[in-house]
Structure formats: structure tokens, C-alpha cells
Amino acid sequence: MSTEGAPDGNDSAAVPRTTLGTAFRFFLPLMFMAELMMISHAVITAFLARMPDPEPVIAAYSISFHFHATLGSPVWACQIVAISFIRDRASMRHLLRFSLQVAASITWFWFLVGLTPLGDWFFTTLFGASPEVAAAAKVCMLVAFLIIPCAIFRSLAYALMMVKRRTMLVTYGTLIRLACLFGILAVLTLHVDGAVVGILALFGCIAIETVYSVIVARRFYRELPEQTAPLPAYRELWRFSWPIMMMQGTESGVAFTINSFLGRLPAAELALAGFGVLDSLLRVLLSPLRNLTHTTQTLVRERADLRVLVVFGIQIGAAFSLGMLMLQVPAARDWILHDVMGLRDSLADYVAPALVASAVLAACMASAAVARGLLIASRNTGAIAVASVARLAAVALVGALALLLDIDNGALIGVLALTGAFATEGVLLTWRLRRLDQGTPRLFES
């Protein structure tokens, strides 16, 4: 089976062969970028947790953020698509037009939810939120719409930096984002209160990061040739990208689905707030594993690279699993939950049992991310759509079993559902890779 491990127009002989050192140098800046990005979400949650009566505030921010992330999944997928198709300046402009097409096809829904009674029904019925929490979530959705155009330009800029293997510049942009966030939150809390503080602060820091990314990427854009090959048809871009969009949607939809089950628990707002806190913490600690997809997608070009990157993925997964096991040390757990997250004793005790399963979750996330990257690089994205549906089905199964067994800890249900989702995806994608590798030629062989 013929595969395409690199974007068209890039000669694999023109770049050094991938080694473990190459992979670590590419991945480590992205790891810190992901940590900084998710720290920004945790900082917002920590600010909201210090407000009077924080549970409904965190609940409104959490459900609106997860819904926004789910709806915007096709836009987030454009960065992965760009990494595979950037060749020259003409292709960059073509990808920008494609990204705008994607955004135009979905952004109307933000206004439908934020401005019509559909939003009230959606948040109260599916999430079990109170009318006050639903009203706050609708306002947050309207503000979150402003993030979409920023995400388009930032994604293309960062994709170009990754193709150029300048991932440290991506990290600098996220560092600027985090540094600005504190100032934005400090100003906002003087004039605004409630969940909208969180979403306004998120938009503000992303807008500043976008300006940085575009300014830095201009140099790499000018270095590209004007056009080296015919542009891919929009049909080809959609055919390649729709499974990736589904992957992104179901990844965000995992938390969305979990929240819909938690809204049916007896103490729904506590369950939503507890999972919101847990999810923010796991995003900080485990989100770098998602960048294993970008790493394998960008660096695999031939058979030897495949073996190196599989070993690299195993090493990274083991390291993160070991790190999550450290949270079982009471001193480390109390420091994170009380001192860093600023949780009250009752909410910290509610979240603590869920941390037990986090080590298994880390291993499952790593295996799924590596398998995704290899399939995307080989242009075999169809299996990703199948695995994405299976991932959501696994979440629904865990949620249904939790309700059936009367498990009432929302944070524990959440982490078990996440583990089941990534384990299911990892198994299916690895099986598909093995099947493809039995063909002729084998994966990433000329």
C-alpha cells in the first residue's frame, strides 16, 4: 500500500532522519506549550473558585466551555490538516480559505444557543443546570464565538512553525498568553463578576497569542516559494479532514457527554463543578500527550521513523503514568488541590478519589495519540472516524453503568469515562495500523 508520510513537495531526504533525540526536541516545547495552555484554563477555574458561591459559577463556565470546544472541533482540526498540506504560500492562502469555509459552516450555532430559548432548553435539559446557571452559560457562549477567528489564524501560524520544526516559538506564544491572562483577570474582576469573567479572560489571552503567532509566522511564510505544486481540491481537503474533525469533536464531546450524565445525579451542580475542577487539572497534567499526534504526524517519513516514534510514544506514556502515580502521595495531592487549585476541603475531598485512575488514563491517552498521528501521516484517516464514534460509545456506557450502580461521585465517573474512551480508541487504531502494515508495501515504505 502506498503511503504519504510527508506533505507533498517536501523531500524526506532533505531533512535529517528522525531519532529519539529529534522526537524529544520537537515534542518537549509542545509539551510545555500544552502545559502552559491548560494552566491558563486552570488559572481561570481557580479564579472562579475563589468567588462567593463558586459552584454555580464554575458549573456555568464549565458547561459553556465544553460545549464551545465541542462545536468548534472542526476549526481546531484545521491545524492538523494544515501540517499535512502546507507546501508553499499558495497552499497557505488556500488553507486559510478552507478554514474560513469550515468556520462559516458551524458558527451560526453559537448565536442560536446564546440568543434563543434553545439555549435555555439545551443547558437545563441536557446538563440539568438551574435556570440561573443556564442563563450565565448562554452569555458565555456568545463571548466564546469571538475565539473562533482567532483560532483560525493561530492554527495556521502554529502549523507553519511545526512544519519548520520551530516548536519552541509555539511555546513562547503560549507563555505570552499565560502571562497576559493574570493581568486580564485582575482587570475583569474589578468590573465584572460571574462565569463571564472566565470566558472573557480566555478570549483576551487567546487574541493576544494570535497576534504574536501571526507576526512570528510571517517570516516563515515569506521564506516559502510562491507555488510548487497544484493546490489540493476542496473536496480532497474535506475528504481528508472530516475524520479528523470528528476525532476533535468527539474528544471534546467526551467531556460534553460526561457532563450530560453528571447533570442527572442527585447533586448535579456539585458533580458538574467537581468534574470541572478535575478536568481542568487533568488538562494541565495530561494535555501534552495530545501533542504526540502532531509529533508523529510531522516526523514520520519512512519505515525507520515509525519504529523510533513508537518507542518514543511508549517512553512518554510511561513517564506521564509515573507522574500521575505521584499524586497518590498525600502531600503532593493536598498541595495541588488546596494550595494550587484553591479548593475548599469539601470539594477537594470530592475530587481526590478520582485521581487514583489517572495513571491508567495517561497510558491510554499516549497510545491513542501516537496511533492517530501515524494514521494521519499515512493519509488513512477513515479509521479515526470509526474510533471516534466508539470512544463516545464507551463514555456513554460508563455513564449509564454509573447511573445504574448509583455511583454519585461525578469526578470519579468522569475519570473512569475518560479512561474507557481513550482505551477504546487506542485499541481500535492500533488494530487498524497493524492491518495496514500487513499490506504491500508496508506502512511508510516506498
Side-chain angles (χ1 to χ4, degrees), residues 70-292:
T70 303
L71 285 177
S73 299
V75 175
W76 323 144
C78 289
Q79 180 170 320
I80 296 177
V81 176
I83 292 173
S84 290
F85 285 92
I86 288 177
R87 307 183 184 102
D88 45 42
R89 283 179 287 184
S91 65
M92 284 286 292
R93 295 191 295 270
H94 193 59
L95 288 164
L96 174 59
R97 291 189 292 270
F98 172 72
S99 299
L100 292 172
Q101 286 181 11
V102 172
S105 68
I106 60 173
T107 50
W108 56 271
F109 205 77
W110 272 257
F111 296 99
L112 187 64
V113 171
L115 295 175
T116 73
L118 176 65
D120 299 293
W121 173 85
F122 199 86
F123 290 124
T124 55
T125 303
L126 294 187
F127 289 101
S130 66
E132 293 76 14
V133 170
K138 288 178 64 177
V139 174
C140 290
M141 284 297 297
L142 291 175
V143 177
F145 168 79
L146 301 174
I147 296 174
I148 298 300
C150 296
I152 291 173
F153 288 94
R154 184 190 62 180
S155 294
L156 287 174
Y158 280 170
L160 180 56
M161 294 178 201
M162 290 180 190
V163 169
K164 294 293 186 178
R165 302 196 179 189
R166 299 296 299 274
T167 51
M168 184 57 72
L169 296 175
V170 179
T171 304
Y172 292 154
T174 317
L175 184 61
I176 292 171
R177 162 182 172 161
L178 182 60
C180 293
L181 176 62
F182 288 98
I184 293 171
L185 280 168
V187 172
L188 283 175
T189 50
L190 296 176
H191 305 284
V192 188
D193 57 13
V196 72
V197 170
I199 207 72
L200 279 170
L202 183 62
F203 161 66
C205 66
I206 289 177
I208 293 171
E209 181 190 13
T210 300
V211 172
Y212 158 84
S213 66
V214 170
I215 291 173
V216 172
R218 286 180 61 192
R219 174 166 63 92
F220 300 117
Y221 175 78
R222 289 195 295 265
E223 291 174 356
L224 292 172
E226 174 57 31
Q227 187 166 356
T228 59
L231 296 175
Y234 287 121
R235 178 178 297 180
E236 179 183 355
L237 291 175
W238 280 105
R239 186 170 57 247
F240 174 83
S241 63
W242 77 260
I244 302 172
M245 294 176 183
M246 182 175 288
M247 173 193 79
Q248 295 280 21
T250 53
E251 185 161 329
S252 301
V254 163
F256 169 75
T257 305
I258 292 171
N259 277 321
S260 69
F261 278 99
L262 299 186
R264 289 168 169 77
L265 295 178
E269 287 192 0
L270 176 60
L272 288 167
F275 178 65
V277 169
L278 173 71
D279 188 55
S280 295
L281 179 60
L282 292 179
R283 285 174 183 273
V284 172
L285 298 178
L286 296 182
S287 61
L289 293 173
R290 291 182 172 88
N291 286 316
L292 285 172

Side-chain angles (χ1 to χ4, degrees), residues 374-394:
L374 293 175
L375 284 168
I376 292 170
S378 67
R379 303 291 175 91
N380 291 287
T381 56
I384 293 175
V386 176
S388 298
V389 174
R391 176 169 52 179
L392 267 187

